[in-house]
Amino acid sequence: MPAPSDNIAEVARDTANAAANEVASGAAGARLPVARPRPSRRWSRRKVMGWCAALAGGMVLALAAYRWTEQSSTERLRAAGAQRLEVYAASLENLLDKYDFLPHMLELDKDVQALLAHPEDPVRRQEMNGYLERQSRQAGSRIIYIVDLQGRTLAASNWRQKDSFVGDDIGFRPYLQDALRGRPSGFYGVGTTSGEPGYFYARGVHRDGRMLGVAVVKVNIEALERGWMQGADKVMLADANGVLFLSSAPAWKYHTLRPLPAGVRARLDQTRQYHRLPLPPLRIVRDEARAGGTRVVAIGAGAGHDARAGTPPLLMQTRSLAPRQWTFIYLSDLSQARASARAAMLFACLAYGFLLLLFLYVRQRLRARAQLQDAYNNLEAMVAERTARLEHTTQSLIDEMDVRRQAEQQLHRTQNELYQAGKMAVLGQMSASITHELNQPLTALRTMADNAVLLFDRGRMAEARENLAKISQIVARMGTITGKLKSFARKSNAGLAPVSVHTAVSNALVLVERRMQLDKVAFTFDIGPADIYALCDSNRLEQVLLNLMSNALDALATLERGAPRELAVSVARTPASVLIRVADNGPGLSGEARGRLFEPFFTTKPQGEGLGLGLAISEQIVRDFGGSLRAEPTDTGACFVIELQAAPLER
């Protein structure tokens, strides 16, 4: 017995053949009249006007897409740049504030006062040289020296070196003059003796209300600049005169934002702030003001270069450091924003062209349908004759579809029952994991909420909004964690895919970054110039990294106050695997702890601060990826290694 689908195909073929024969016989007997349009100048003119309007609309749409995309991309760059500026400014302030106590300490030192009271005593001067040398080494400063009221250096921590400051006359320096007037100050300048730049702290030394001399501390802040050079950001620091004395681009250092007036240059020569440096102005070939206090600039490569070549537009943002009259400058490359705008304009043109083609196609189809309507009318009679034969076949198909529909409904009901039964079985396995995995985000939420209250009390609304935005992100991540924990409890193997290790570490770092800042933990991340991809699941890898980082921070918190705290994450790739190391310089692992690391409910933390499930769950997650989690022996602290399968390299 033939299938119903075979009957339909047979009927369709018979109908088509009969229609073709009917049309052929009609065409042989008589020719159907064909209406021919008359040429019309008015219609041609209207058609031309329509095409012109369509082209104009396409151009307007393309320009609007370009402008909107460029503005959106520029605004994103501005927001990111403002954030980066705050980070750089806070880093510099923290570095400078760290040494602010030294001049105060020296002012109160009895030996310093005794030396200034008896400056010609060689024994006191020699003892003070050794004392300043020890203080400078302990504080990590560059040089500490004592100056009398005439500007002559009596003792210095670098007294052993050839370029010692002992005996130098620095009365021309502004920081010394301000300190002698009773105004403690800071000053950045290039050393006239060593040629080494640094930041100088100066404060008068008094006894019984009378000034005896000045204590000066020199700090090297070039290490901060070296950190800028290692990143991709373009950041500069300018003084009140517009001189760039720190820059992530070495070619721009000791240049000026604008030509220096003669009076300013004469004052700099007198104070020797930048010694004999020429301080040429930057070749700013373009400078446009934008909304929000930003500017669009283009900086030329230097003399002898084409000003229009190799000068990409840069979005300039500034932040003032009011006490020191310095200005942080952050530059964002607008080339990518303009490339995105060009791509959006091209896409708008293509989409508009597609719509025009679609319109022409639909109009042509409507015309063809109108021309074929007469032929369809001739076929109606033949279709009516075939209707009776098709009704029987159609009824058979309807009956068969009813049977299949009932079977599909029964199948769906069975599947839903099985799914519900599976969910009920999983609920018993999830409670312990959820309690542990949500503990860290809840701690972060509590900390950020407390910070938000303080920020609101202090009127820092912008930072409070950023805190609330981070809280929203953490809540969203808690939802992700619960979903991943359900998958882990079912012991179902999630599909493995190439995952960026750099992105996973960055996402995990968001939840512990604030805690590292509060605990003053130095964090380093070494992954090499190119990103590394491993076969795993991104959310579950972030769970493991977050657990290892949190455990490391808990261990570092037990160190003595003031001890250096370091947390390092490094990534390396072998031909077949990816190794992720999380190391700290904490107290390390005991023999008992090393033997029971991955045992559930075993913990070295005080009661109430941990369930002992973190490492056990992390080890199971990594094992599900086809990898391993282990602790490597180290001289100091603890080091955990995650070994995953390496994602195939793209060819």
Side-chain angles (χ1 to χ4, degrees):
M1 180 177 179
S5 59
D6 296 335
N7 294 334
I8 295 176
E10 181 181 355
V11 172
R13 285 195 298 271
D14 293 342
T15 304
N17 293 334
N21 294 332
E22 184 70 20
V23 172
S25 61
R31 294 185 178 179
L32 296 175
V34 179
R36 297 182 179 179
R38 296 180 179 178
S40 172
R41 292 184 179 179
R42 182 179 179 183
W43 170 251
S44 299
R45 207 176 298 120
R46 185 182 302 169
K47 189 174 182 180
V48 171
M49 293 295 293
W51 277 108
C52 291
L55 291 176
M59 293 178 63
V60 171
L61 177 63
L63 290 175
Y66 181 90
R67 291 299 300 275
W68 182 84
T69 305
E70 183 185 30
Q71 292 175 359
S72 300
S73 301
T74 302
E75 178 59 24
R76 286 194 295 271
L77 286 176
R78 188 203 63 77
Q83 260 188 340
R84 298 296 296 167
L85 268 178
E86 291 299 328
V87 172
Y88 284 123
S91 176
L92 177 62
E93 292 289 355
N94 291 338
L95 176 63
L96 296 179
D97 291 345
K98 185 173 70 172
Y99 297 96
D100 198 34
F101 74 96
L102 277 176
H104 295 272
M105 181 189 71
L106 294 172
E107 179 188 9
L108 302 176
D109 193 285
K110 300 297 183 181
D111 293 334
V112 174
Q113 296 177 3
L115 173 64
L116 290 172
H118 304 86
E120 302 303 329
D121 188 343
V123 176
R124 292 181 185 274
R125 295 175 66 172
Q126 187 62 27
E127 291 177 351
M128 183 55 59
N129 285 332
Y131 173 72
L132 295 180
E133 183 180 24
R134 292 191 298 272
Q135 291 297 325
S136 179
R137 188 184 306 113
Q138 292 175 2
S141 62
R142 183 67 186 89
I143 303 171
I144 303 176
Y145 49 103
I146 306 300
V147 185
D148 62 14
L149 296 177
Q150 287 73 38
R152 184 168 56 94
T153 303
L154 300 179
S157 62
N158 65 342
W159 62 279
R160 299 178 187 271
Q161 302 174 10
K162 294 181 180 180
D163 55 354
S164 170
F165 285 8
V166 177
D168 287 354
D169 185 1
I170 60 170
F172 57 89
R173 284 294 201 179
Y175 63 83
L176 182 65
Q177 297 173 4
D178 290 341
L180 290 175
R181 296 188 187 99
R183 298 196 301 266
S185 64
F187 177 81
Y188 180 89
V190 178
T192 57
T193 302
S194 62
E196 180 182 90
Y199 187 77
F200 297 82
Y201 300 82
R203 186 176 184 88
V205 178
H206 298 78
R207 187 172 67 179
D208 299 330
R210 185 172 63 90
M211 179 178 290
L212 301 177
V214 177
V216 184
V217 178
K218 181 180 179 180
V219 178
N220 188 350
I221 61 175
E222 303 297 309
L224 189 67
E225 182 184 54
R226 288 192 291 271
W228 298 351
M229 294 179 182
Q230 294 174 0
D233 293 343
K234 290 184 176 65
V235 60
M236 302 180 292
L237 189 59
D239 64 9
N241 298 315
V243 179
L244 302 174
F245 59 90
L246 291 182
S247 172
S248 61
W252 296 345
K253 189 174 182 179
Y254 296 126
H255 284 63
T256 63
L257 296 175
R258 54 192 174 274
L260 294 178
V264 173
R265 186 171 289 276
R267 186 170 66 254
L268 292 178
D269 292 340
Q270 180 183 1
T271 61
R272 305 183 201 175
Q273 181 174 358
Y274 296 102
H275 205 28
R276 297 185 179 89
L277 295 173
L279 303 179
L282 284 178
R283 294 186 66 250
I284 299 179
V285 297
R286 177 185 176 187
D287 189 358
E288 299 176 5
R290 292 291 179 91
T294 61
R295 307 186 74 86
V296 175
V297 300
I299 302 176
H305 291 75
D306 186 358
R308 295 168 296 179
T311 55
L314 303 172
L315 181 67
M316 176 187 287
Q317 297 172 256
T318 60
R319 186 190 185 280
S320 176
L321 299 178
R324 297 179 176 86
Q325 296 182 348
W326 291 351
T327 302
F328 253 115
I329 301 173
Y330 188 84
L331 300 174
S332 305
D333 193 348
L334 290 177
S335 300
Q336 186 61 38
R338 296 195 171 183
S340 300
R342 288 193 294 270
M345 182 175 66
L346 178 60
F347 176 78
C349 291
L350 292 176
Y352 188 73
F354 173 76
L355 291 176
L356 284 179
L357 292 176
L358 181 62
F359 169 74
L360 294 175
Y361 172 75
V362 172
R363 188 177 67 170
Q364 186 65 24
R365 288 295 301 269
L366 292 176
R367 288 182 178 178
R369 182 176 298 178
Q371 293 175 0
L372 292 175
Q373 187 63 42
D374 292 339
Y376 291 156
N377 292 335
N378 294 332
L379 292 175
E380 285 182 356
M382 298 180 62
V383 172
E385 295 176 0
R386 300 287 182 175
T387 302
R389 296 176 59 184
L390 291 173
E391 286 179 353
H392 177 70
T393 305
T394 303
Q395 187 61 42
S396 300
L397 289 174
I398 292 174
D399 295 340
E400 183 178 353
M401 290 174 62
D402 290 339
V403 173
R404 292 185 178 181
R405 187 180 298 109
Q406 293 175 1
E408 289 178 357
Q409 292 175 353
Q410 182 63 32
L411 177 61
H412 286 312
R413 285 194 296 271
T414 305
Q415 288 177 341
N416 290 335
E417 292 173 359
L418 291 175
Y419 177 68
Q420 186 65 23
K423 288 199 298 184
M424 297 302 295
V426 169
L427 290 176
Q429 304 177 23
M430 288 174 53
S431 58
S433 297
I434 291 177
T435 301
H436 177 78
E437 293 299 329
L438 293 186
N439 184 47
Q440 295 166 347
L442 286 173
T443 303
L445 284 175
R446 179 179 179 181
T447 301
M448 290 185 177
D450 293 340
N451 290 341
V453 172
L454 292 176
L455 292 173
F456 275 120
D457 293 339
R458 297 175 182 177
R460 297 161 63 180
M461 307 304 294
E463 297 178 16
R465 292 189 185 96
E466 293 177 1
N467 244 13
L468 294 177
K470 289 182 180 178
I471 290 175
S472 176
Q473 295 173 0
I474 294 176
V475 172
R477 176 160 181 78
M478 290 170 65
T480 303
I481 290 175
T482 56
K484 294 302 178 183
L485 287 174
K486 281 201 274 187
S487 175
F488 173 72
R490 286 198 302 269
K491 301 188 185 300
S492 60
N493 293 326
L496 304 182
V499 171
S500 167
V501 178
H502 185 280
T503 302
V505 174
S506 300
N507 291 341
L509 188 62
V510 171
L511 292 178
V512 297
E513 185 175 14
R514 180 59 180 168
R515 182 178 175 186
M516 288 194 295
Q517 292 176 354
L518 295 175
D519 294 346
K520 296 182 180 179
V521 177
F523 176 76
T524 57
F525 181 34
D526 181 17
I527 194 174
D531 201 353
I532 297 176
Y533 290 81
L535 287 177
C536 59
D537 176 77
S538 60
N539 288 329
R540 300 175 74 189
L541 176 59
E542 291 169 15
Q543 281 183 248
V544 177
L545 291 170
L546 177 61
N547 181 265
L548 295 180
M549 290 181 184
S550 299
N551 288 345
L553 292 176
D554 291 340
L556 292 173
T558 62
L559 295 178
E560 296 180 0
R561 185 173 184 181
R565 303 177 180 181
E566 299 174 356
L567 173 61
V569 178
S570 62
V571 185
R573 178 190 172 103
T574 66
S577 62
V578 173
L579 301 177
I580 306 174
R581 286 181 170 83
V582 180
D584 63 75
N585 66 335
L589 300 172
S590 64
E592 179 188 4
R594 191 177 295 275
R596 303 177 62 186
L597 275 177
F598 305 108
E599 180 179 325
F601 300 105
F602 172 77
T603 179
T604 59
K605 298 178 183 178
Q607 185 175 3
E609 294 186 10
L611 296 176
L613 290 173
L615 287 177
I617 294 174
S618 299
E619 195 270 340
Q620 179 63 47
I621 290 175
V622 176
R623 195 191 315 158
D624 289 344
F625 294 157
S628 64
L629 174 61
R630 62 182 182 273
E632 283 188 350
T634 58
D635 295 335
T636 59
C639 178
F640 286 85
V641 180
I642 305 171
E643 183 173 0
L644 301 172
Q645 303 177 50
L649 297 175
E650 297 182 359
R651 296 178 181 264

